[in-house]
């Protein structure tokens, strides 16, 4: 039986709003904040309500974490290095506090929710003023209030599967926005800690998502990115009979200019979703479809529940429905027991698909997951050698895949100036690739039609298309 979803009530949200007003009225509260975010888009999006609440508490953003009165680390624990980096930076800030005794240090996100972390914080990281888990985000104001009135660490971790609507949000961009459509994950891939730190899968009601999208559209947002660990299983457990394909169709009808989403699990990629991809007007021709490995045996032990062939058949169906679609993926090397031959299966799959880009990871054992207890953990030097070979191959395949854009037109949502020149701007094209072309400040936030003239590393070089 799945654990029930706990819906945060409007009265609870109102109580948090009251706390925000009380904190804003405190004469000796922190005046400035800095939010440091690690990890995936979902974490980046979680930082938006955190920032919105800090703003409503009357604080302004500090130019750097060293200059802030309040620093919040929104952490990730998907791989060991993300966790170590976060803990290293938190500890370093302890030194900064020697110069600025007013400094408050807070930690939230996946790492706090990790088994055993609460005890570690209370014993080893006593200097942290406030720590709260992913399910407690909506309670940040009340916890902040407690931390302002406490000499010891205030810590709250909830194991309920919470779902909260209508939190104050400070969006990072005006032209593009994230929308969470679901939280948690029920897939329990054997290497992954997400189901343990983000709880059971739960979906937001379609009307709430539509309402948020329509408001963003009225605010001038041109592109929305729908977020979830496995958006393809959106709708499970809701009273309404709604699928991800159905939700996309309804969002497409709102007329919002560009719709993207991530992440899709290959086992749940339905024919109806592929059909919507082919016929919707505003859903962009791009698809992030993590494969993780190319060997059936490794996929089985990863508990991915698809085979290499079923994955490849989904890729073929997507390409048939949306010719030229931009495909990207995630890959793990050095999974326990992975032989050279099985690694070669990953290389051959990468070659066969020809992804536009890929996130490549060395397997990192996570305490509490099934894979961490599997025999045959791979030596670091073997895993490093494999990832280097994988990256080299993917770079080659990417260059090859990008050639299909030469001479073609793309519509670019311009994000800012190019890193290399103040006379050029860059953004993302319809297919998800980064595009740079001559332009100025007036282009930022606009969708500009360009023609691709060249390639440089993983960027398309372009010029304005003639009107
Ligand atoms: N839900 C998504 C999915 O199904 O692919 C992705 C979630 S996870 C935060 C992002 C990526 O991190 C995964 O696709 C996987 O490649 C990688 N990852 C997760 N756990 C890992 C581990 N223990 N070691 C190395 N990479 C890992
Ligand atoms: Fe992790 Fe698998 Fe869930 Fe993705 S689908 S979050 S990899 S358990």
């Amino acid at each position: 039986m799945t654990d029930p979803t706990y819906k945060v009530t409007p009265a609870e949200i109102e109580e948090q709003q009251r706390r925000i007003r009380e904190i804003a009225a405190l004469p000796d509260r922190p005046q400035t904040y800095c939010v440091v975010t690690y990890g995936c888009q979902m974490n980046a999006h979680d930082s938006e309500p955190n920032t919105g609440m800090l703003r409503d508490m009357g604080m302004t953003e500090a130019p750097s974490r060293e200059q802030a009165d309040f620093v919040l680390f929104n952490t990730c624990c998907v791989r060991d290095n993300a966790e170590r980096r976060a803990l290293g930076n938190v500890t370093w800030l302890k030194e900064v506090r020697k110069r600025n005794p007013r400094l408050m240090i807070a930690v939230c996100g996946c790492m706090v929710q990790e088994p055993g972390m609460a005890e570690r914080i209370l014993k080893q990281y006593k200097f942290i003023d406030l720590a709260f888990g992913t399910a407690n985000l909506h309670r940040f104001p009340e916890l902040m209030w407690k931390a302002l009135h406490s000499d010891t660490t205030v810590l709250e971790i909830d194991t309920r599967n919470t779902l909260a609507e209508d939190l104050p949000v400070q969006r990072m961009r005006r032209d593009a926005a994230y929308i969470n459509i679901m939280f948690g994950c029920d897939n329990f891939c054997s290497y992954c800690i997400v189901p343990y730190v983000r709880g059971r899968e739960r979906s937001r009601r379609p009307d709430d998502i539509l309402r948020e999208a329509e408001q963003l559209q009225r605010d001038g947002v041109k592109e929305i990115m729908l977020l979830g660990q496995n958006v393809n299983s959106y709708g499970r457990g809701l009273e309404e009979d709604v699928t991800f394909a159905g939700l996309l169709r309804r969002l497409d009808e709102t007329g919002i200019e560009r719709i993207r989403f991530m992440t899709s699990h290959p086992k749940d990629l339905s024919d109806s979703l592929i059909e919507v991809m082919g016929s919707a007007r505003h859903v962009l021709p791009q698809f992030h479809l993590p494969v993780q490995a190319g060997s059936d045996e490794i996929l089985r032990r990863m508990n991915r529940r698809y085979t290499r062939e079923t994955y490849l058949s989904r890729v073929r169906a997507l390409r048939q429905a949306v010719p030229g679609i931009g495909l990207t993926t995630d890959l793990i090397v050095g999974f326990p027991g992975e032989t050279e031959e099985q690694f070669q299966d990953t290389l051959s799959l990468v070659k066969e698909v020809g992804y536009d880009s890929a996130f490549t990871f060395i397997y990192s054992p996570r305490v509490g997951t099934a894979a961490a207890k599997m025999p045959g953990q791979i030596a670091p030097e073997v895993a490093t050698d494999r990832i280097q070979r994988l990256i080299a191959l993917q770079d080659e395949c990417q260059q090859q895949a990008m050639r299909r854009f030469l001479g073609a037109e793309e519509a670019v949502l311009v994000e800012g100036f190019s890193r290399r020149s103040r006379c050029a701007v860059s953004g993302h094209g319809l297919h998800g690739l980064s595009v740079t072309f001559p332009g100025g400040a007036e282009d930022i936030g606009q969708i500009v039609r360009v023609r691709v003239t060249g390639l440089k590393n993983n960027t398309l070089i372009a010029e304005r298309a003639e009107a």
Side-chain angles (χ1 to χ4, degrees):
M1 205 185 83
T2 53
D3 300 337
T5 298
Y6 175 70
K7 288 208 178 72
V8 177
T9 64
E12 284 175 277
I13 298 290
E14 179 43 42
E15 171 61 15
Q16 298 304 317
Q17 297 282 11
R18 190 178 66 78
R19 286 290 183 192
I20 288 176
R21 291 191 292 274
E22 281 179 0
I23 293 170
L26 288 176
D28 55 350
R29 62 166 165 77
Q31 299 295 319
T32 56
Y33 70 85
C34 175
V35 177
V36 184
T37 308
Y38 300 93
C40 63
Q41 282 86 352
M42 247 164 279
N43 253 21
H45 187 33
D46 279 355
S47 288
E48 294 185 328
N50 283 325
T51 310
M53 292 186 230
L54 287 163
R55 175 203 58 196
D56 289 359
M57 287 172 201
M59 292 181 222
T60 52
E61 191 173 8
S64 72
R65 63 186 90 164
E66 294 83 358
Q67 288 160 280
D69 295 338
F70 180 84
V71 180
L72 176 63
F73 290 92
N74 187 4
T75 59
C76 167
C77 62
V78 167
R79 283 167 294 277
D80 184 50
N81 52 4
E83 185 176 316
R84 268 186 293 142
R85 201 152 60 95
L87 285 172
N89 284 329
V90 171
T91 308
W92 173 77
L93 216 59
K94 188 179 160 193
E95 294 304 307
V96 176
R97 183 146 66 188
K98 289 182 185 152
R99 279 177 274 139
N100 174 14
R102 276 172 61 87
L103 171 65
M104 284 181 76
I105 303 172
V107 182
C108 68
C110 294
M111 192 184 78
V112 179
Q113 206 90 23
E114 215 181 332
M117 188 49 78
E119 294 76 16
R120 262 180 88 187
I121 289 175
L122 294 176
K123 272 199 198 121
Q124 269 174 272
Y125 299 91
K126 286 187 184 144
F127 59 89
I128 291 176
D129 299 287
L130 168 61
F132 56 97
T134 50
N136 310 74
L137 192 152
H138 65 285
R139 289 181 40 76
F140 173 38
E142 186 172 338
L143 299 170
M144 176 78 170
W145 172 269
K146 284 187 185 160
L148 285 166
H149 296 91
S150 167
D151 292 331
T152 54
T153 307
V154 170
L155 182 139
E156 189 175 279
I157 295 166
D158 200 329
T159 51
R160 286 183 300 183
N161 302 307
T162 56
L163 199 56
E165 293 290 343
D166 298 323
L167 301 176
V169 166
Q170 173 80 48
R171 299 268 176 190
M172 278 176 286
R173 285 174 59 181
R174 289 154 65 103
D175 53 341
Y178 293 129
I179 300 183
N180 266 322
I181 63 166
M182 61 196 300
F183 299 89
C185 181
D186 284 353
N187 285 316
F188 290 93
C189 300
S190 63
Y191 50 81
C192 185
I193 198 153
V194 170
Y196 304 91
V197 295
R198 290 257 171 194
R200 298 288 56 76
E201 184 179 299
R202 54 223 185 259
S203 295
R204 287 177 71 199
R205 294 186 50 244
D207 288 351
D208 290 332
I209 297 168
L210 262 295
R211 191 163 49 93
E212 186 174 347
E214 283 162 355
Q215 184 56 50
L216 287 167
Q217 196 180 4
R218 281 193 290 277
D219 293 344
V221 164
K222 296 190 170 70
E223 180 179 292
I224 54 171
M225 163 81 109
L226 310 176
L227 294 177
Q229 294 296 348
N230 178 13
V231 291
N232 295 359
S233 62
Y234 169 79
R236 273 184 209 156
L238 281 180
E239 281 164 24
E240 294 96 326
D241 185 14
V242 56
T243 61
F244 182 55
L247 177 72
L248 261 191
R249 182 75 74 201
R250 284 179 68 183
L251 286 164
D252 192 52
E253 281 160 10
T254 65
I256 198 149
E257 284 182 67
R258 294 159 68 121
I259 304 172
R260 311 161 67 196
F261 55 87
M262 77 186 304
T263 296
S264 293
H265 196 304
K267 77 175 165 54
D268 297 314
L269 172 46
S270 65
D271 290 340
S272 53
L273 175 55
I274 294 177
E275 197 274 310
V276 172
M277 290 296 299
S279 57
R281 290 177 52 221
H282 302 283
V283 178
L284 296 190
Q286 49 180 272
F287 214 102
H288 185 64
L289 194 61
V291 65
Q292 314 297 356
S295 141
D296 281 344
E297 172 58 14
I298 296 290
L299 287 172
R300 189 186 63 74
R301 288 198 287 118
M302 284 179 163
N303 193 30
R304 291 291 287 180
R305 287 174 280 170
Y306 53 83
T307 63
R308 176 191 178 101
E309 185 40 42
T310 50
Y311 180 90
L312 289 172
S313 74
R314 297 284 77 187
V315 167
R316 286 193 291 271
L318 276 169
R319 283 193 162 139
Q320 200 170 9
V322 189
I325 191 169
L327 283 175
T328 55
T329 199
D330 293 349
L331 296 153
I332 297 178
V333 302
F335 185 78
E338 183 189 63
T339 62
E340 173 61 25
E341 203 184 342
Q342 287 163 338
F343 169 63
Q344 291 290 336
D345 289 338
T346 297
L347 294 182
S348 68
L349 182 132
V350 164
K351 237 184 185 165
E352 190 166 343
V353 176
Y355 295 105
D356 280 349
S357 78
F359 295 102
T360 52
F361 307 107
I362 291 181
Y363 165 73
S364 168
R366 306 280 64 212
V367 174
T369 61
K373 293 182 229 95
M374 286 181 187
Q377 300 285 327
I378 301 294
E381 57 279 14
V382 175
T384 304
D385 171 63
R386 285 182 187 167
I387 201 161
Q388 284 167 353
R389 284 190 279 154
L390 177 61
I391 291 171
L393 174 71
Q394 171 52 28
D395 283 350
E396 249 176 60
C397 295
Q398 183 165 336
Q399 289 303 308
Q400 184 58 35
M402 283 167 63
R403 299 186 71 78
R404 74 186 185 283
F405 293 106
L406 284 173
E409 279 200 11
E410 264 282 330
V412 182
L413 176 56
V414 180
E415 284 157 44
F417 283 104
S418 146
R419 261 182 288 159
R420 290 204 178 79
S421 158
R422 295 292 283 181
C423 301
V425 288
S426 68
H428 282 88
L430 297 169
H431 297 78
L433 281 164
S434 162
V435 186
T436 180
F437 62 96
E442 66 286 359
D443 294 317
I444 296 173
Q446 304 300 319
I447 295 176
V448 180
R449 288 210 73 81
V450 299
R451 184 173 299 283
V452 178
T453 54
L455 315 172
K456 192 163 189 197
N457 302 326
N458 50 8
T459 300
L460 301 174
I461 310 297
E463 58 189 26
R464 275 166 205 275
E466 279 157 33

